[in-house]
Amino acid sequence: MRFSLAALSLLALYSLSNCTSSSKEESSHTGKLTAEASAKPVADSSKTPAPEPVATTGKANTGDPTLDSLTYAPTGAILPGKRIFAYYGNPHSKKMGILGKYEKEEMLQRLDKEIANWQKADPATPIQPALHLVAISAQGAPGKDGGYRLRMSDKTIKKVIKWGNEHKAIVFLDIQRGHAPLGGEMEYLTKYLKLPFVHLGIDPEFSMVTGHKPGTKIGSYDAADVNQAVQFLSKIVKENNLPPKVLVVHRFTQGMIKNYKNIKLDPNVQIVMDMDGWGPPVLKKDSYHDYIQKEPVQYTGFKLFYDNDFRKPGSRIMTPEEVLALTPKPMYIQYQ
């Protein structure tokens, strides 16, 4: 089913189009909602990371011939040997992030050019390119099942996964669950996560445990939810003889992650707490310190916005050198 743009109701602040919770993507999407307050960041873990196993990847066995024909198969744990550098968004939306702002070839050229800047800033750390797709997006209306979320179609998800395969980039599938249970949304992505280069992101901003509509309040996850995602990924890794999965958890306020000390590490999953807020450098640095550095889990990440970091008068996007001066140095970098 497809809806015309006129038929879609939009939330304020770039919420995604109001449409049914089906596996078919709609004809138009706007961008990811980001609260005005977003700018509280991340740090290296005081916990000792769990030992990372060496795993062989073998041939993909997803049950889908299209996916099983993909050849990119990195081995071993990515972190901390490499820094992950990701472009974020959705190919159906120019406003949602850099991944969808440009056509594929120009987007990938920009990705490579930006990676070169970061490699120059830290020549000692190799960079792993990544594409971070919002595969399940929060919605302003409940849809047929009351989930307040829209699952991207198999066609859309495969398209971005193929881009990653061709470019030797890992791919993250991001969940904005709305009111839908996290477990069911992860299950929807299972066959893709069986690929050795596909990883997971979960976004507390759109986890509406209070029952509010996405976009009206900032949501949250408890440590139990993060542990659920870790256990889900660990099971996939063990059953499919895969290298460790990376789990990116977005955060830019105190309340988005509750009981962080109860998050449990697993040797099959590398957890990245990603400072997701936009704003001037001083605010982003404060956020990183307060919500990432002071509440460590395992690895840390930092998000930069090509547009929103300039929204406040006199603001600007931080340079690679400025981000790498943070303590700890983020090992996951994302541009929206």
Side-chain angles (χ1 to χ4, degrees), residues 172-190:
F172 287 87
L173 303 180
D174 206 87
I175 296 174
Q176 300 175 357
R177 75 171 191 91
H179 290 196
L182 178 61
E185 303 314 294
M186 292 191 296
E187 286 287 350
Y188 177 69
L189 302 176
T190 298

Side-chain angles (χ1 to χ4, degrees), residues 76-272:
I78 297 173
L79 302 171
K82 294 181 179 179
R83 175 172 289 111
I84 299 170
F85 185 95
Y87 264 8
Y88 171 101
N90 185 299
H92 296 290
S93 171
K94 293 182 180 297
K95 293 183 178 180
M96 201 170 188
I98 188 69
L99 182 61
K101 188 171 183 178
Y102 301 99
E103 294 298 321
K104 169 193 168 185
E105 293 305 326
E106 182 175 357
M107 180 271 293
L108 292 174
Q109 288 172 9
R110 288 173 177 267
L111 173 70
D112 291 342
K113 184 177 180 181
E114 200 70 73
I115 285 175
N117 293 334
W118 282 81
Q119 195 68 81
K120 183 178 179 180
D122 183 8
T125 307
I127 292 179
Q128 170 62 62
L131 303 177
H132 198 118
L133 168 68
V134 181
I136 298 172
S137 62
Q139 301 293 298
K144 291 180 180 178
D145 66 356
Y148 283 90
R149 56 83 177 89
L150 175 68
R151 292 172 171 177
M152 295 299 105
S153 69
D154 192 48
K155 179 180 178 181
T156 293
I157 297 173
K158 281 184 180 179
K159 175 168 67 175
V160 176
I161 288 175
K162 287 179 182 178
W163 291 354
N165 177 72
E166 294 165 2
H167 208 66
K168 292 184 168 52
I170 62 174
V171 175
F172 287 87
L173 303 180
D174 206 87
I175 296 174
Q176 300 175 357
R177 75 171 191 91
H179 290 196
L182 178 61
E185 303 314 294
M186 292 191 296
E187 286 287 350
Y188 177 69
L189 302 176
T190 298
K191 74 173 182 178
Y192 312 111
L193 291 167
K194 289 181 179 180
L195 292 168
F197 66 98
V198 177
H199 304 268
L200 183 66
I202 58 174
D203 196 341
E205 182 179 358
F206 300 102
S207 172
M208 310 314 296
V209 294
T210 60
H212 289 87
K213 290 183 180 180
T216 60
K217 299 285 183 179
I218 296 173
S220 66
Y221 276 127
D222 186 81
D225 301 303
V226 178
N227 290 338
Q228 180 187 7
V230 169
Q231 292 163 12
F232 181 85
L233 290 174
S234 183
K235 184 172 184 284
I236 290 177
V237 168
K238 288 183 285 188
E239 290 180 349
N240 295 276
N241 195 28
L242 299 175
K245 291 292 184 185
V246 180
L247 173 66
V248 171
V249 183
H250 305 286
R251 188 178 190 185
F252 59 83
T253 71
Q254 187 73 46
M256 286 174 73
I257 298 295
K258 302 183 186 303
N259 303 308
Y260 81 96
K261 291 183 179 180
N262 294 333
I263 294 174
K264 297 178 180 178
L265 302 186
D266 185 297
N268 296 308
V269 181
Q270 301 190 304
I271 304 171
V272 174

Side-chain angles (χ1 to χ4, degrees), residues 34-44 218 249-257 273-296 300-305 309 312 318 323 326-328 330:
T34 300
E36 189 71 37
S38 9
K40 289 280 182 180
V42 184
D44 264 344
I218 296 173
V249 183
H250 305 286
R251 188 178 190 185
F252 59 83
T253 71
Q254 187 73 46
M256 286 174 73
I257 298 295
M273 301 303 293
D274 177 39
M275 202 298 289
D276 190 20
W278 58 263
V282 63
L283 184 56
K284 292 173 77 81
K285 290 177 183 179
D286 284 349
S287 296
Y288 188 84
H289 175 267
D290 291 350
Y291 308 139
I292 307 300
Q293 183 176 349
K294 287 178 66 176
E295 297 194 357
T300 71
F302 199 89
K303 189 167 184 176
L304 296 155
F305 294 77
D309 279 345
K312 290 184 177 295
M318 292 174 66
V323 175
L326 295 169
T327 302

